[in-house]
Amino acid sequence: DLEAGRLLPAPDPVRRAQLLGGDWTVKPAAGMYFKRAWFTIVDAPPVVASRCRYWDRASSPTGDWTVGARWARTPEGEFFVEHVVRFRGTPHEVQSVIKQTAVMDGPDVIQVLEQDPGQAGVAEMDHYATAVLSGMPMARTRPTGDKVVRATVASAQAESHNVKLVRGEWNESWLDEHEGFPEGDYDDQVDTSSGAAVFLGGDSFGEIVPPP
């Protein structure tokens, strides 16, 4: 009820507006889930407890983007987006860039890939574990649910000013896409934020695949 909503605000801004404002016509819109004013730009993160690079893969040189965002989490629970790779390419090019990026990240960064449903997805992840990312820390995840719902964890952290960006050429594109979500032309960078925030937050979101 409304009183419960005041005591326990919903992490979803649409649901929160419905509960606290009584406006049940509110729909997801640009600027509701992420605002650029929520993000502080820093030159470097402090000491961090864990890192991952979360990948949202595409397989076309003309369609969606493949994005790999490296996120870090401090012992105090702050999040830092350290680096973003964003490109278009064929499946072979995607694998090559993921491998190259993982080598540059080093063994302290877990490479997180989303597994497609079905046996084909299992076979593809096995290929990544044994060939593309052999000897490197990797996690496979099976995200479910609507993209907007999955973004609520990252959105709540951002609204609390708990997500900071390390200064880089990628900042402007990243901020534009997040602020335009879910109405923008692309949401690949937002998808990596949704996955990385949950993964580093300690939720049971994926299966860790140890190096062979």
Side-chain angles (χ1 to χ4, degrees), residues 9-212:
D12 185 333
V14 173
R15 182 63 170 164
R16 188 165 64 244
Q18 293 172 340
L19 290 171
L20 302 183
D23 185 356
W24 297 93
T25 66
V26 175
K27 303 295 182 184
M32 292 190 68
Y33 289 85
F34 301 97
K35 300 180 187 296
R36 64 178 54 228
W38 295 348
F39 301 98
T40 301
I41 308 295
V42 300
D43 290 321
V47 175
V48 301
S50 56
R51 281 187 171 93
C52 79
R53 188 180 291 272
Y54 197 99
W55 290 95
D56 184 76
R57 294 170 298 137
S59 57
S60 169
T62 58
D64 289 337
W65 297 80
T66 290
V67 177
R70 191 175 75 215
W71 279 53
R73 186 174 186 267
T74 69
E76 295 75 28
E78 279 191 309
F79 294 94
F80 289 81
V81 188
E82 297 182 308
H83 183 258
V84 174
V85 174
R86 183 173 184 255
F87 67 99
R88 291 185 173 108
T90 65
H92 178 72
E93 289 170 335
V94 169
Q95 290 184 20
S96 296
V97 172
I98 289 177
K99 180 176 182 177
Q100 180 188 67
T101 305
V103 170
M104 291 189 294
D105 282 342
D108 294 332
V109 181
I110 299 175
Q111 305 296 319
V112 186
L113 287 80
E114 295 183 353
Q115 178 175 312
D116 292 333
Q119 187 58 40
V122 174
E124 183 189 34
M125 287 299 99
D126 287 345
H127 172 69
Y128 267 92
T130 59
V132 181
L133 296 174
S134 177
M136 305 176 196
M138 170 187 158
R140 63 182 76 184
T141 69
R142 301 178 181 88
T144 58
D146 181 84
K147 286 176 178 282
V148 172
V149 174
R150 288 164 50 196
T152 55
V153 172
S155 172
Q157 292 289 346
E159 188 174 4
S160 299
H161 297 271
N162 202 41
V163 180
K164 298 174 174 59
L165 309 184
V166 175
R167 192 183 311 278
E169 294 181 357
W170 54 270
N171 292 166
E172 189 64 30
S173 170
W174 193 94
L175 288 167
D176 284 346
E177 182 176 310
H178 279 71
E179 195 163 48
F181 179 79
E183 297 178 337
D185 293 334
Y186 299 102
D187 55 18
D188 315 287
Q189 295 181 94
V190 176
D191 287 345
T192 64
S193 295
S194 302
V198 172
F199 185 84
L200 287 182
D203 293 76
S204 179
F205 187 65
E207 172 192 356
I208 301 294
V209 180

